[in-house]
Amino acid sequence: MSVLSDTYLNGIIELLTKIQDEETDALEKGAMIIADAIEKGNRIFGFGCTHSSLPIQDLVYRAGGLILVNPIFGPGIDSLDVRPAKMTSDFERLEGYAKVLLDNYPIQEGDVLILVSVSGRNAVPVEMAKIASERGIKIIGITSYEYTKNVESRHPSGKKMYEFADVVLDNKVPKGDAMVEAEGFPVKFTPASGVTSNALLHSLMTVVIEILLKRGVEPPITIAANVDGSGEHNDRLWKEYGDRIFYL
């Protein structure tokens, strides 16, 4: 194996170990919020800009995952199909955009919003968290404390996304996200947040499922479409939870 690849993988393992050692309480608190919402008939939503949208998308209609996670997609920042791609960085800084999204999605008081922003500094995720909090929506934020606490906010409030969250999950990545250094080369490379944010969110959902099972509640889990019998199982869930699923 290459030396730098080994460095990266060892660094990822170290971050995942830190998450395992340090995020247990936050995972439990976040999972309790989601489990309570599911039992009460409330809905679950998720949002992130561009690359921070990817961990959310990995929860949606996912084999082995909860069927109830609804993505909030913002045109221009929900993926990287915009040309030129650098426009997405400008869109993330637009004030007022988050309000437009929240006003046009069926998210309401008592619902849960999972919000991913690694730096937590740009106007859209900050505004999304602020307005959602004001509307009585529970917020579970995924960010990097090391990153967000070492950059300035780009929102007029001067605050970061995590400051409006009910529960914060720290994905542990360094400022700038990149993990690897090479002698004589001034720029760090190879990001970590895609791995650690995904691991955090799937861990969160695992705890939610565990809580529901302990309460005697059947967790609505999607079975992979390529597994025999999955169609009948999943169709039953669509019907039972159809009033809380908006991505079909």
Side-chain angles (χ1 to χ4, degrees), residues 38-54:
I38 291 172
E39 278 205 276
K40 293 175 182 177
N42 296 115
R43 294 83 61 82
I44 315 300
F45 293 82
F47 176 79
C49 297
T50 57
H51 288 101
S52 288
S53 175
L54 299 179

Side-chain angles (χ1 to χ4, degrees), residues 46 55-63 66-73 202 222 247:
I56 294 297
Q57 293 181 47
D58 203 46
L59 295 177
V60 178
Y61 186 49
R62 194 67 169 89
L66 286 171
I67 207 165
L68 298 175
V69 181
N70 297 284
I72 294 176
F73 288 131
H202 285 299
T222 309
Y247 56 82

Side-chain angles (χ1 to χ4, degrees), residues 73-91:
F73 288 131
I77 54 174
D78 59 356
S79 64
L80 295 174
D81 60 356
V82 175
R83 296 292 182 274
K86 65 181 182 179
M87 280 200 303
T88 61
S89 296
D90 295 326
F91 288 155

